[in-house]
Amino acid sequence: MSSYQAGGAAYRDVEAEPLNGNGISPINSSSSTTPSWKKYGMGAALIALVGYVSIYSPSAAVSTNVPSEVLPTLGKGYSDKTKLFDKTNRFIVHDFDARSTFSNFLPGIAGVFGKPVWSFYVNRGQGLASFGLASKDFPIMEFYTANKAYQVTPYVGFRTFVQGVRGGSKGKEDGVSFLMEPFSPSNSKVEGVEDASKPDRTMFTGTNEMEILEVDDVHGVTTSVKYFVMPEEDFAALVRRTTITNTGDDDLTLSVLDGLAKIEPTGGRLSWGLKNMGRTLEGWMGVYHANDDPGLPFYRMSTEPNDSAAVVIMKSGHYCVSFMDESDELLPIVYDTEKVFGFSTTLQEPNGLLTHSIEDIVASPQYGDAKTSSAFAAASGVKLAPGKSVTVTSVYGQAEHVEDLPEIAKIITQKHFITKKFERARSMMNELTAKVETHTVNKLFDGTVKQIYLDNSLRGGMPVILGDLDDESHSSNADEDSRLKVYHIFSRIHGDLERDYNDFNIDPTYFSQGPGNYRDVAQNRRNDVVFSPRIGSFVVKQFLSYIQADGYEPLTVQAFAYQVENHNEAARVASLIASEESAPTLIAILTGGIFRPGQLFSLFDQLDVTLVVSKQRAIDEIMAISTETAMATFGQGYWADHWEYYLDLIEAYTSIYPDGEESLMYDTELRYFFSTATVKPRSQKYVEDYTFDGKSKHILQLDATVFDLDKVAEQGAFRNVNTGLIANEANWQRTGGPGTGRAFTSPAISKLFLLAAMKFSMRDAYGMGVEYEGGKPGWNDAMNGLNGMVGSGMPETFELSELLKYVLSVVKKFQRPLVVPSELGVMVDTVNDALDELLASGYEDSEELSHDVPEELFKYWDTVASAREDYRNELQYYFSGNTVEIAAEDAIDMLTKWFDQVQLGVARAIKIGSKGIDDDGTSGIPPSYFSYNITEWKRTNETNDKGLPLVNAEAMAVGVFPLFLEAPTRYMKLIVDDQDKMVDMYNKVLNSGLRDDKLKMYFLSADLTGQSYDMGRMMAFAAGWLENQSIWMHMSYKYYLQLIRGKLYEQFYSEMKGGGMLPFMDPKVYGRSLMECSSFIASSAFLDPSVAGRGFLARLSGSTAEFLSIWRLMFIGPNPFVMNDDGDVEMQLIPVLPMFFFEDLEAGAEGKRDEDGNLVVSYKLFSSIMVTYHNTLGTDLFEVEPTSYVVTMTDGSTVEVEGSKIPTETAVQIRKLLGVETIDVYF
């Protein structure tokens, strides 16, 4: 590994540098010795023949040197194929189109006050495979899934065609003419085959850019293409810059077509139609022009393509605006595809260019009706001396009206505009990722931290504080000042070319964001308060408010929405931020209903609201007077694991605000989310059906939830008669009747108690796993069939154990009663009575447990499940509004009994064990899942929607499965404080079927050979692929996190450096940037060994959340703020850093030293304070307490502290980010 990490030689820990001069990239070739442009009419056969002659004829030889001015763009060693990164820290992919395929994306960030496009790229053709606005329903270049994008991108994507003449004293007459297409797949190298006639091709991937380079030694032409998203403008656009350099020894005259082979028009939601009725859709398509300017094409449909009575006329359109550097003249756009390709419908060959010059094509008529068009910028007669370049810049986007195009063109053709925008695209990313700036001896690791922080934010969102108006708000957090609002930007569901099943959405507005899946957002916001302490308890309150009365949560988390309820305040703010003429309109907007920041600015544009202050000041004034509300939608089914991430959020919050725990738990009233789905009782979802062979019958749990029309009607009572929209109040469960009463609330601790009670009541018949009775499984949703198998999960039981322990600790600590809904009180009484009856029965587990559920346990399960169903029936629509109070002493007694029962279930589960290949169930590793075979049942005389009989269970037997990594990972939370048990469990997992010895990683599951397909989709996949015995990075990183939490530091760092974690993997095997996580890695169980070890489904993975939690423990420690004996807050920094991050002489990396010669590492704390650790001991810093601190303030003053803790006054200043510049910590 040292060859690509030594001393950071391949990766520089510096701010990205803008490209100097004209950016260049490489190109391919095809050539001709015919003396005149007219010879293009000779046909493809002659072109190929003379191309052969020109390649091998000495008279056609050209220089192979890349000019020196190109090198700053490429970075040192771009041609050195041992280098992984260029000088601007972009990942280098040599011979990218000859390597195994991968897909990636630009982050779709245009800044807070910018409008993004989404864009995906692959390592084929010219990279960009698809882009558009909002979602894949609104493409500019059609969205293809990865497997198809690899095939079609070189043809339907971006293309460049060069008609060139080299040398000659009389121009074209005696020069050597050629036609070439850079990056053509017909000229790609073949891996393992040396061919000097093939060009060198390189891809450079940065955090907010992608560039490809081709060096064509045959033609003496180097071509680069660079892509980035236009930042901080009020129009969304993708920028493409194509630079062609003459690397030959004589002059080159060229004409170029450069652009998109297929561009889609606007026309509403097109994705489905393009895939299923694409030819018919072409009937609506047309190309229009602003001011009849051939450089301002406007691609749109005439109307939205539907047969509805409501006809929607299309006014918006897509555009392509192109120009050459140092010129504000627009290049003409060739949009008629047939002019370029003739009747080559595959688009492989530019047949039109074989018979016509580019000048002729531009001069001839074009037609764009009733067909899919192109968008090629045409540049003619460009003369380049040796070493000189020409750059064609093209901007692709969407405009609301064709009349907008001239203004857009005027903006983008300003001198240096695009160059400055590219520099800003880079600096903006540096600013965003500088929040986790890290400086160790391993520069690749430092870069990985920043990349993973970015990717984590793309899935969970990046919090910003709005409403920050004065000194009082500056010194407060969002809990302390009601004017402050926390808003997450840049988030989206993780949909891309490989995750084609997810419908991502990125609003093309200011403050851009999109909805996300519940578990994804909850996990990826876990450490928000650590990086941004001023958000306070915001994330905790957000997610605890989503807990429903039935113990479940919705699927889709949306951005918060806001409203201004006080008309006088709206008028006051309008007078401050808007012109006198615009104030009435602004007041109407603010008081007209809920809004989001991006929507506000869109309305301002549409309604011509004129602001008299900056956009930032305007939104701060508005948000300061707004009230906020969490938003979500039910989606589909109830996942069993959504609640499991709450303790992580609470733990992160209390690590920063230990003094805020009591107020958060007892004094924060939270509502209950109200979904439109209801969980059916067992009698309505236990279904009698034939087994797959038709020879016998069994019981399945099917259609566990029902879309509840009565709940829909309840929400309908909040519909606005004027707008037809349902008010947000409908999303919160209320007291009273339809449309009446109030949203019912409970303290946070009461909602956690309710959650614990519900999950305790959902334990399976053997008292081991928590039942998957809501229609969906837990984290491992590839076990989707487990719900039908009446299955349960031990991961949820381990999390239940932790939840009970936490609620118990809070009640013990603060000795305050629990106030809960009276309906819950009734259920809890029944549960406790049933538990008392079970304990009184004298039941004890036998030494050898039968798979048949004992009668006593089955009776308890049946009673408790019925109590749960009765409770849900009572609260299906409304709360009564009544509460009961559980005294602290009674709550402690109750929670202790529940906790003990859960521990009995855990021991029982380990005893019953797992079963699989080379696994007899005696490994001592806890199992993850159980199924339950209902062995005796009684029909209810009712049927389900498909006519199948419904039944009640009367007896059960438990079924077992092979091992899964999730169970020992979550089980380690229970034994985290027992070092011996932790080591024992680690060694058991290491030596089990969960270990991939070849890759030195951990399988998601053990060998599943012989398992039933009933368990879920994971059985449909080949072993080693997707969830079937692959390396699922998220779960692996969860496992590594538990190792460092459990203080197994030697084992943790051995796993890290052994290749189990980024950036310590083998790049040749991983197949993509070592700074980017994947969802899964094909394991050695996969039959094709060439695929094993490669990462798939890039970046937007939960593994980023685990990595950041690991980073936090490594650098900050678990509890940076603690309470002293007097009840005051103090600060302590206790890292867990090995010596090899200070200095790694084995890898040739000398460490940085302070003025006293001590090795140092540093990092950014709370996104702004640089902390430096001075290792005076010269050893690993594993839980070593500091001996002293020096806190330097922004005014230059210092606070010196002796001892391991920073006292209260300074600690609070640091937490509030008030005037603190740096902290030096000495060990």
Side-chain angles (χ1 to χ4, degrees), residues 96-295:
F96 67 89
D97 60 338
R99 295 178 53 168
S100 58
T101 54
F102 66 82
S103 69
N104 208 327
F105 56 88
L106 298 180
I109 292 178
V112 174
F113 293 106
K115 299 179 180 180
V117 299
W118 52 264
S119 53
F120 301 105
Y121 62 89
V122 297
N123 60 327
R124 291 295 182 267
Q126 294 198 25
L128 245 289
S130 182
F131 68 100
L133 275 71
S135 71
K136 56 189 175 186
D137 281 329
F138 303 95
I140 298 176
M141 178 182 176
E142 184 177 353
F143 179 91
Y144 293 98
T145 60
N147 59 319
K148 294 178 181 177
Y150 299 141
Q151 296 173 340
V152 304
T153 297
Y155 306 108
V156 304
F158 285 101
R159 311 279 289 273
T160 306
F161 301 104
V162 179
Q163 290 177 336
V165 177
R166 180 169 292 286
S169 59
K170 299 180 182 179
K172 299 178 182 178
E173 275 66 28
D174 60 348
V176 178
S177 61
F178 60 88
L179 169 64
M180 62 176 291
E181 181 188 358
F183 307 103
S184 168
S186 64
N187 216 20
S188 297
K189 290 184 177 181
V190 177
E191 190 173 15
V193 177
E194 292 293 332
D195 188 345
S197 69
K198 301 291 187 182
D200 286 329
R201 292 174 178 169
T202 311
M203 176 179 281
F204 305 85
T205 65
T207 55
N208 201 21
E209 65 188 272
M210 187 272 283
E211 182 175 3
I212 53 175
L213 175 75
E214 179 182 279
V215 178
D216 183 343
D217 294 342
V218 173
H219 295 95
V221 174
T222 291
T223 308
S224 74
V225 180
K226 185 187 296 104
Y227 304 93
F228 66 95
V229 172
M230 180 77 76
E232 297 176 344
E233 284 296 330
D234 63 357
F235 55 90
L238 176 76
V239 182
R240 168 184 164 92
R241 302 192 75 203
T242 302
T243 301
I244 299 175
T245 300
N246 178 8
T247 56
D249 292 329
D250 49 7
D251 292 346
L252 174 64
T253 301
L254 53 82
S255 294
V256 179
L257 282 183
D258 182 78
L260 197 52
K262 285 182 62 176
I263 184 171
E264 303 302 337
T266 56
R269 295 181 176 274
L270 294 183
S271 184
W272 183 91
L274 291 173
K275 297 291 187 290
N276 294 281
M277 47 181 282
R279 181 64 187 113
T280 301
L281 285 188
E282 288 184 319
W284 278 266
M285 296 180 183
V287 182
Y288 308 83
H289 289 81
N291 301 332
D292 293 325
D293 188 333

Side-chain angles (χ1 to χ4, degrees), residues 19-53:
L19 303 187
N20 299 322
N22 291 320
I24 317 295
S25 292
I27 257 208
N28 98 11
S29 76
S30 87
S31 128
S32 171
T33 57
T34 48
S36 169
W37 289 110
K38 297 178 182 178
K39 296 300 182 181
Y40 284 114
M42 296 176 63
L46 183 55
I47 290 289
L49 176 60
V50 297
Y52 178 90
V53 174

Side-chain angles (χ1 to χ4, degrees), residues 497-755:
L497 304 185
E498 292 185 85
R499 300 180 182 93
D500 43 26
Y501 48 85
N502 273 337
D503 291 326
F504 63 88
N505 186 83
I506 309 172
D507 284 347
T509 63
Y510 295 164
F511 293 90
S512 175
Q513 52 71 45
N517 283 342
Y518 196 91
R519 78 159 66 95
D520 304 339
V521 181
Q523 289 178 105
N524 287 60
R525 292 185 184 176
R526 176 192 306 164
N527 291 299
D528 279 5
V529 70
V530 176
F531 298 122
S532 304
R534 293 187 65 208
I535 73 170
S537 61
F538 172 84
V539 177
V540 178
K541 291 187 290 188
Q542 174 189 6
F543 281 93
L544 294 191
S545 70
Y546 289 134
I547 298 173
Q548 300 172 175
D550 60 7
Y552 285 110
E553 298 86 4
L555 171 62
T556 302
V557 175
Q558 298 175 322
F560 266 61
Y562 306 87
Q563 63 186 92
V564 177
E565 298 173 333
N566 187 315
H567 188 277
N568 292 334
E569 281 291 280
R572 179 184 66 80
V573 167
S575 69
L576 289 175
I577 69 174
S579 67
E580 185 176 349
E581 297 78 13
S582 297
T585 303
L586 179 54
I587 294 170
I589 292 173
L590 296 181
T591 59
I594 61 174
F595 56 80
R596 294 189 175 105
Q599 293 171 328
L600 275 184
F601 286 101
S602 296
L603 286 172
F604 294 168
D605 288 341
Q606 294 169 18
L607 301 177
D608 295 323
V609 173
T610 301
L611 299 176
V612 296
V613 298
S614 69
K615 292 190 286 288
Q616 185 64 58
R617 182 69 184 186
I619 195 64
D620 283 334
E621 290 284 359
I622 292 170
M623 298 301 273
I625 64 169
S626 301
T627 57
E628 62 188 11
T629 183
M631 302 288 286
T633 56
F634 162 66
Q636 53 173 316
Y638 287 127
W639 266 259
D641 67 315
H642 283 177
W643 61 279
E644 296 172 13
Y645 312 107
Y646 301 147
L647 290 187
D648 289 334
L649 300 177
I650 293 169
E651 184 272 333
Y653 169 76
T654 55
S655 75
I656 305 299
Y657 293 101
D659 49 336
E661 183 177 30
E662 182 177 8
S663 177
L664 172 64
M665 287 294 112
Y666 285 95
D667 304 326
T668 302
E669 291 285 327
L670 300 173
R671 297 176 292 182
Y672 291 80
F673 196 78
F674 187 63
S675 286
T676 51
T678 294
V679 181
K680 294 179 180 178
R682 293 163 297 162
S683 61
Q684 294 179 23
K685 60 187 176 185
Y686 283 5
V687 179
E688 180 185 301
D689 197 4
Y690 283 98
T691 56
F692 76 97
D693 58 8
K695 295 181 179 179
S696 59
K697 293 184 177 181
H698 63 165
I699 305 304
L700 298 175
Q701 181 178 236
L702 302 177
D703 303 318
T705 62
V706 61
F707 184 67
D708 197 323
L709 294 178
D710 290 330
K711 286 185 175 181
V712 174
E714 158 65 11
Q715 290 191 335
F718 293 89
R719 189 180 302 278
N720 186 299
V721 294
N722 295 318
T723 65
L725 300 177
I726 294 177
N728 182 58
E729 287 83 352
N731 291 324
W732 306 100
Q733 191 158 357
R734 311 176 71 80
T735 62
T740 65
R742 60 176 177 82
F744 185 77
T745 64
S746 295
I749 189 64
S750 298
K751 292 201 74 174
L752 290 176
F753 175 80
L754 178 147
L755 186 65

Side-chain angles (χ1 to χ4, degrees), residues 448-521:
T448 301
V449 175
K450 296 174 76 171
Q451 180 68 54
I452 284 182
Y453 176 79
L454 172 64
D455 290 345
N456 186 78
S457 299
L458 295 182
R459 198 165 88 144
M462 188 175 291
V464 294
I465 299 286
L466 301 175
D468 203 353
L469 293 171
D470 50 37
D471 290 342
E472 181 183 353
S473 65
H474 295 339
S475 62
S476 303
N477 65 36
D479 295 327
E480 298 165 337
D481 191 332
S482 62
R483 294 175 298 170
L484 298 179
K485 305 298 187 301
V486 179
Y487 192 71
H488 283 80
I489 54 177
F490 307 146
S491 61
R492 78 288 304 265
I493 194 172
H494 54 304
D496 51 52
L497 304 185
E498 292 185 85
R499 300 180 182 93
D500 43 26
Y501 48 85
N502 273 337
D503 291 326
F504 63 88
N505 186 83
I506 309 172
D507 284 347
T509 63
Y510 295 164
F511 293 90
S512 175
Q513 52 71 45
N517 283 342
Y518 196 91
R519 78 159 66 95
D520 304 339
V521 181

